[in-house]
Amino acid sequence: FTMWFIAINCLAFILWTLSLVIFPGTASHLVLTPSLFVKGYFWTLLTSMFLHANIFHIFVNMFSLFFLGILTEQIIGRKRFFWFYIAAGLFAGLIYVIFSYIGTLFYRGDFLFGTPATAAVGASGAIFGLLGILSVLIPKKKVDLIAGPLILIILQVMISPFLSGTTLNVFSFAVNLLIILTIFGLFSRNPIFRALALPVHLSFSIVPVVAIVPLFIIGFFVDLPIGNT
């Protein structure tokens, strides 16, 4: 089912991209926008799980899904994996909707949780669910968490507002390319190239905390394009 989910996400991304060109209005009917969800767009909890903003977005998520999905599926079995993945994605979307409204009640809540008008797409919620269940089932198993891509994303968000036009496009392309290289660097036999990924060797029990808490803290000061919930 892991490979099926990856295939469905990739196919959905292609169809989604084409639909935005031909029928721009379809976006609001498929993405998860809290203000629309409470008005009856309940199906967007599911559709948003299989949509991604751009090629880089889907690449990072499918890369993570490949490794975490296969490992989870081997441990809990195909059927349980299927239902857990779907349930985790739906639950993550629902929590996003709830906290988008809670975030309006305090300072920088929009930075941390988005706003009711902020649309969300991606498989991240389901993937973090897989990370969560692995931290419970195999807490002592070691895994490499790569910090390089996260640092590059933060730098991109901080520098981009000062750029525009062609300069901004070139900068964004260069950063995304570097992020992809740092991800693949994790599997390189070259110690220098591998070091670019900034791998941190941790137990699965610690990974969710290390992956989420820094984003939450940074998100209080920088409006990251990441759904912390």
Side-chain angles (χ1 to χ4, degrees):
F1 276 126
T2 297
M3 300 311 297
W4 274 108
F5 278 135
I6 291 175
I8 292 171
N9 273 280
C10 291
L11 178 60
F13 175 71
I14 295 172
L15 296 176
W16 158 253
T17 304
L18 292 174
S19 70
L20 290 180
V21 175
I22 303 173
F23 307 107
T26 58
S28 61
H29 295 280
L30 298 173
V31 301
L32 178 59
T33 306
S35 60
L36 293 179
F37 175 82
V38 297
K39 292 180 180 179
Y41 285 50
F42 303 131
W43 62 87
T44 56
L45 275 183
L46 180 64
T47 56
S48 62
M49 284 175 55
F50 297 95
L51 302 177
H52 290 81
N54 49 53
I55 293 178
F56 170 73
H57 187 202
I58 192 172
F59 168 78
V60 172
N61 273 352
M62 295 305 100
F63 184 89
S64 303
L65 176 56
F66 178 77
F67 291 100
L68 295 177
I70 287 179
L71 180 57
T72 306
E73 195 168 358
Q74 289 175 341
I75 295 173
I76 67 176
R78 297 180 66 203
K79 291 183 179 180
R80 287 179 179 173
F81 168 76
F82 175 85
W83 290 113
F84 180 85
Y85 181 89
I86 296 296
L90 295 176
F91 181 76
L94 186 59
I95 293 300
Y96 171 73
V97 170
I98 294 172
F99 273 82
S100 70
Y101 283 94
I102 293 177
T104 62
L105 303 177
F106 59 90
Y107 179 67
R108 291 292 173 126
D110 55 333
F111 274 37
L112 294 175
F113 305 121
T115 69
T118 306
V121 291
S124 302
I127 292 171
F128 266 91
L130 299 181
L131 189 60
I133 196 174
L134 288 174
S135 70
V136 172
L137 297 177
I138 48 173
K140 295 182 180 180
K141 183 176 177 63
K142 298 292 184 178
V143 64
D144 283 322
L145 181 69
I146 50 178
L150 176 59
I151 293 174
L152 288 170
I153 290 174
I154 294 171
L155 289 175
Q156 182 180 22
V157 173
M158 294 178 66
I159 297 174
S160 292
F162 301 98
L163 306 175
S164 61
T166 304
T167 304
L168 176 60
N169 293 333
V170 172
F171 174 72
S172 297
F173 176 80
V175 171
N176 289 338
L177 181 61
L178 282 174
I179 290 174
I180 293 174
L181 289 176
T182 56
I183 291 174
F184 281 113
L186 182 64
F187 305 97
S188 175
R189 294 182 179 180
N190 186 314
I192 297 177
F193 191 39
R194 179 179 169 81
L196 292 175
L198 297 179
V200 182
H201 203 55
L202 301 169
S203 299
F204 258 118
S205 60
I206 304 175
V207 171
V209 177
V210 175
I212 295 172
V213 173
L215 284 176
F216 195 80
I217 295 173
I218 295 168
F220 189 79
F221 302 99
V222 181
D223 191 10
L224 297 173
I226 298 173
N228 289 320
T229 33

